[in-house]
Amino acid sequence: MVQISPVRISETPEWQALAAHGGEMRNVHLRDLFASDPERGLTLRVDGADLHLDYSKNRLTARTIDLLVAVAERAGLAQRIEAMWSGEHINVTEDRPVLHIALRAPRRASITTGGVDVVPGVHEVLDRMSEFARRVRSGEWTGHTGKRITTVVNIGIGGSDLGPAMAYEALRPFSDRSIECRFVSNVDGSDIWEATHDLDPGATLFIVSSKTFTTLETLNNAKTARDWLVSGLGDSSAVARHFVAVSTNAEKVAEFGIDTSNMFGFWDWVGGRYSYDSAIGLSLMVSVGPEAFVDMLEGFHSVDEHFRSAPFRENLPVLLGLIGVWYNDFFGAETQAILPYNHYLARFPAYLQQLDMESNGKSVTLSGEPVDVATGPVVWGTPGTNGQHAYYQLIHQGTRLIPADFIGFVTPNHDVGDHHDLLMANFFAQTEALAFGRSAPQGQPYRSFAGNHPTNTILADQLTPRILGELVATYEHKVLTQGVIWGINSFDQWGVELGKELAQRIVPELTAPETPALAHDSSTNTLIARYRAGRGRP
Ligand code: F6P
């Protein structure tokens, strides 16, 4: 058994050496770093699986990497990686193993926890998903009235929505365009209304995706969808052909009225935000087909292998994690921009927001002490060229340090005219401008670009299912790397509980026919009273 023994990283000589080095590096400019080492663009780069990372346009030297690697070693990163792979309960507050890496393990692999090999179960579900996806795609699975399914509506939220929604958009070039997928997550009734109002119930399949099957938003949306379907088809037995579930909770699925033979399971060792390569990706599999889904899993797996075996200095996710720690903890950076130069990756930053912020937005260590270092950054971004005409101004000339990951591809998904060369010219120009800046003409300080803005460039051949899997696995392992260094649990999410509990308490206060006795603070009481009055309630 590998033991998890978190160290208070700030008290280690490794961290202190890094802090001292941070002081020396604070005023060093990327212009000087490239001038003193013109070859750094050839050395500060790494390949992991099919991804290429150029990290030379960062405010660091080879010594910085040495010191960061020493911190990772001191934090026990290698041991934690092995503990994860060995099925230990590294999610200590929920007392669970963390085995999303098993979701993409090949059939021949063996990954055990508590003496049980989980890989056969993973492939059993994948086989059932493949068969189901094949039947929907071929038209063999029909709706209650015998129609082919032409729209799939995934109902879920958080990890049960963001992953499949992101990947569906990302892999549009690989999808069957005769089946549209829609994604409903918000409990705002407008979401389910917009998703269903123009659909033919007879040709619509709902996938209710919820790990727990207790999430208020998802269950409400699913009930509304069921009412819409039954009233549209005039027969409650239609539910059997139009609803399937993805969950770990068979009892609740049955209680809702979905036949558990139409349920695709997963396991409590998969965190919601680490789950879209499980059955939570069923809508994606229907869209792109089982073969493309398996290609994506192989991409995930190749980065898993790289992460587990490459030395930290040559380990792409580890390096991304270490560079993030460098700015987060020694340069006061509060955010991390994710800037994909690919139209289909529009939802990638939003997906990474949950992955990163729900994982590392923590302020208590694994030993239950308050952290004394800065933890997870605010993650944000949109596709790059659109950002250039919106918020890049602030990155270039504002007062904040905003580390950014630029993600681009050599081969376009659609080679239209000279669009791709123009796109990629912008991609390369931006990191160059951010790094080196430009001095202002005499008397025009507003035209000065200070430069020294750090970027990572991730370059791959083409956005394919395999490469998407590689990108997601890279960021999953980046998040783990940082969580280990900060000494926090990247796999729980207690921070979402309080708001949920208070909302449950407030629901009857909004809907009570008589004036309720409100015992909140004066602000909340007044707002609730105003809302009730607006809704015509006393
Ligand atoms: O927001 C909290 C959370 O538990 C996420 O971690 C999760 O992805 C989401 O809610 C949805 O949960 P479920 O899949 O159980 O409906």
Side-chain angles (χ1 to χ4, degrees):
M1 286 275 274
V2 185
Q3 291 298 322
I4 301 178
S5 46
V7 287
R8 188 169 269 281
I9 199 69
S10 62
E11 289 169 5
T12 63
E14 289 82 359
W15 186 267
Q16 284 154 13
L18 194 56
H21 177 64
E24 291 157 19
M25 291 296 291
R26 188 109 350 108
N27 298 318
V28 175
H29 200 287
L30 278 164
R31 282 194 289 259
D32 303 325
L33 290 173
F34 273 86
S36 62
D37 175 12
E39 303 286 279
R40 64 185 268 129
L42 303 178
T43 52
L44 299 182
R45 59 188 180 136
V46 68
D47 291 287
D50 302 296
L51 305 179
H52 178 75
L53 167 67
D54 178 323
Y55 60 96
S56 64
K57 294 192 187 83
N58 279 292
R59 293 163 65 171
L60 50 74
T61 62
R63 174 163 161 70
T64 319
I65 297 294
D66 288 345
L67 292 169
L68 283 163
V69 165
V71 163
E73 281 165 353
R74 181 59 191 261
L77 178 59
Q79 290 84 345
R80 195 71 59 79
I81 293 170
E82 276 322 295
M84 177 162 86
W85 251 271
S86 333
E88 285 188 42
H89 289 209
I90 64 169
N91 177 356
V92 287
T93 60
E94 296 179 320
D95 193 16
R96 290 175 182 167
V98 175
L99 285 176
H100 45 272
I101 40 123
L103 297 172
R104 52 271 191 149
R107 222 174 265 276
R108 62 178 184 282
S110 166
I111 297 176
T112 57
T113 184
V116 177
D117 185 356
V118 299
V119 177
V122 166
H123 282 274
E124 199 183 300
V125 175
L126 274 172
D127 291 343
R128 285 188 58 230
M129 287 167 64
S130 301
E131 177 57 13
F132 179 74
R134 188 194 62 71
R135 292 179 70 199
V136 174
R137 286 163 65 84
S138 68
E140 186 184 322
W141 174 285
T142 55
H144 183 65
T145 56
K147 287 186 180 168
R148 179 173 188 261
I149 298 298
T150 52
T151 309
V152 172
V153 181
N154 184 81
I155 299 179
I157 197 165
S160 300
D161 165 71
L162 288 163
M166 175 279 289
Y168 172 67
E169 285 303 322
L171 299 181
R172 290 288 275 164
F174 303 86
S175 65
D176 175 346
R177 301 292 174 124
S178 69
I179 303 177
E180 185 194 358
C181 292
R182 297 183 181 185
F183 295 85
V184 173
S185 55
N186 199 328
V187 75
D188 183 335
S190 302
D191 200 2
I192 186 81
W193 186 87
E194 284 292 348
T196 53
H197 79 279
D198 57 347
L199 293 183
D200 172 359
T204 303
L205 175 74
F206 292 96
I207 301 179
V208 186
S209 298
S210 174
K211 179 176 169 183
T212 55
F213 230 77
T214 58
T215 304
L216 177 133
E217 292 87 341
T218 300
L219 292 188
N220 270 276
N221 279 321
K223 279 187 199 121
T224 302
R226 188 177 55 193
D227 293 347
W228 172 85
L229 181 96
V230 171
S231 87
L233 295 180
D235 184 351
S236 62
S237 68
V239 169
R241 301 294 301 174
H242 293 270
F243 273 77
V244 299
V246 178
S247 186
T248 57
N249 193 340
E251 203 182 316
K252 292 277 178 200
V253 168
E255 213 174 274
F256 180 84
I258 297 177
D259 184 346
T260 48
S261 63
N262 292 332
M263 169 181 155
F264 298 86
F266 61 115
W267 306 270
D268 69 0
W269 41 258
V270 184
R273 54 192 176 273
Y274 296 86
S275 71
Y276 97 75
D277 47 338
S278 71
I280 290 289
L282 184 60
S283 51
L284 174 69
M285 191 194 265
V286 169
S287 174
V288 300
E291 290 77 20
F293 197 88
V294 169
D295 286 349
M296 182 186 78
L297 296 181
E298 286 173 3
F300 271 98
H301 180 67
S302 62
V303 168
D304 292 345
E305 294 287 288
H306 167 78
F307 177 59
R308 193 182 180 193
S309 60
F312 291 163
R313 276 180 189 72
E314 295 154 33
N315 193 313
L316 200 155
V318 169
L319 285 168
L320 279 182
L322 295 179
I323 293 166
V325 167
W326 178 233
Y327 297 120
N328 197 70
D329 292 280
F330 301 99
F331 286 73
E334 298 202 325
T335 81
Q336 168 70 58
I338 304 290
L339 306 170
Y341 277 65
N342 184 300
H343 179 70
Y344 290 113
L345 285 180
R347 302 218 47 192
F348 193 60
Y351 169 75
L352 290 190
Q353 251 171 5
Q354 187 200 14
L355 177 66
D356 200 321
M357 294 168 77
E358 198 166 74
S359 295
N360 284 344
K362 309 285 163 65
S363 49
V364 170
T365 67
L366 283 164
S367 336
E369 309 286 326
V371 294
D372 61 356
V373 294
T375 61
V378 175
V379 175
W380 63 282
T382 59
T385 39
N386 295 2
Q388 284 173 214
H389 294 271
Y391 50 77
Y392 273 40
Q393 164 67 37
L394 184 148
I395 306 181
H396 281 286
Q397 287 190 316
T399 55
R400 296 171 196 283
L401 177 72
I402 304 193
D405 287 358
F406 280 68
I407 303 171
F409 302 89
V410 173
T411 308
N413 290 104
H414 302 284
D415 208 354
V416 181
D418 56 1
H419 283 247
H420 195 63
D421 293 330
L422 280 174
L423 173 74
M424 293 307 285
N426 276 280
F427 178 78
F428 297 121
Q430 285 296 330
T431 59
E432 189 179 14
L434 286 165
F436 302 106
R438 189 173 60 194
S439 45
Q442 191 65 31
Q444 298 180 332
Y446 47 86
R447 291 180 67 185
S448 151
F449 290 78
N452 217 14
H453 300 292
T455 58
N456 289 309
T457 299
I458 298 174
L459 193 60
D461 177 42
Q462 190 179 33
L463 180 58
T464 59
R466 183 183 176 92
I467 295 296
L468 180 68
E470 292 189 16
L471 279 171
V472 173
T474 293
Y475 280 96
E476 286 178 347
H477 299 320
K478 171 198 169 176
V479 164
L480 172 70
T481 298
Q482 297 189 330
V484 171
I485 291 173
W486 293 323
I488 56 178
N489 181 3
S490 299
F491 301 107
D492 61 10
Q493 56 285 317
W494 296 101
V496 298
E497 292 304 316
L498 178 60
K500 282 190 199 171
E501 267 171 51
L502 294 185
Q504 294 288 13
R505 188 174 137 203
I506 291 174
V507 171
E509 296 175 347
L510 299 185
T511 55
E514 306 300 330
T515 309
L518 298 174
H520 304 274
D521 58 276
S522 59
S523 162
T524 311
N525 287 346
T526 310
L527 290 166
I528 290 174
R530 191 178 172 94
Y531 174 83
R532 284 185 60 90
R535 298 280 283 165
R537 295 168 193 158

